[in-house]
Amino acid sequence: MKHYLAHVTITLRKSILDVQGKTVENALHTLHMPALSNVRIGKHVELDVHAPDKETARELVDDACKKLLTNPVMEDYSVDIREPNNNGQLS
Amino acid sequence: MRIGVVTFPGSNCDADARHAAAVSGNESVQLWHKDATLAPDLDVIILPGGFSYGDYLRTGAIARFSPIMKEVIRFANEGGMVIGICNGFQILCEAGLLPGALIRNANQQFVCRDVYLKVENNTTAFTHATTVGSILRIPIAHGDGRYVASEETLNELESNKRVLYRYVDPTGKRTPSANPNGSTNDVAGIINAHGNVMGMMPHPERAMEKALGSADGATVFESLAMHAHRVAEGIA
């Protein structure tokens, strides 16, 4: 078994108005930063995965996303699986 | 009727729901989230309001996997009557017993006030005791009550009259200010295709006695009693 670190990024689906993002965008514009727009605020989940290979690790996390971590009615997600570096450390 | 009320960690309307059962002349029994079996002979199960599991991850997302939910889902699939109120509605959506989802209120605020609901369909077990177009005054108290669903789901709900309640103003008009959370199509409550699972954001159990403001929530319990009577008589 290998040890991986998964980074899951969850955002509201594009079709759903991200009210939090919209509010922050308005605040940025109030702070005179008109160059910044389309703010989207989501969630970031990190988790350790023990799996024989990277592909299996991705499948396990994908399953977790579908069952619990996200709700496909309102959210999209992406998964990034990281392997340990030469010192055996994950980041 | 015998009404089971589930208590999840973080439920805070379970006692209100049992009180509502009592004042409407029904027997009630507490169901514990960790239980793997239901109390026997239940006619109705209520998933009450509150903040189950602190609303962590998403509202209802963790409660939906409580041991008792397996039995609630089985009960619903066998035709048992299930009501989800507020957080209970969110749990039913997460569990897939009702379509769609409930997201943060459009105005980003927790809204706690009385709202007016228009009854859109009185042919269901939950609305028999009303008439189409009746205006009910019932309180809401939520931060995540904005109903969303795919266009396909919304079309299906609308064309099959599965939206039971809509937010309106006191005269029955649909206006932006009458909708407290930005809910799509002003949806306040919906029912499943089979007609035995209903979810609503407003709290009927908090509107059971005129002396406390409104007794309009009692229509839900009266409707269920009428339905149970009809079933017993072999009419429905």
Side-chain angles (χ1 to χ4, degrees), chain B residues 196-220:
Chain B
N196 65 313
V197 179
M198 190 269 278
M200 62 192 295
M201 286 312 297
H203 287 271
E205 83 284 11
R206 295 189 192 174
M208 295 296 293
E209 290 136 318
K210 273 222 169 81
L212 298 178
S214 168
D216 293 347
T219 58
V220 174

Side-chain angles (χ1 to χ4, degrees), chain B residues 8-12 48-56 58-64 87-88 90-91:
Chain B
F8 297 99
S11 294
N12 62 11
F51 300 85
S52 57
Y53 296 88
D55 281 350
Y56 293 163
R58 295 178 306 279
T59 57
I62 301 178
R64 171 254 179 283
N87 188 221
Q90 295 160 343
I91 295 168

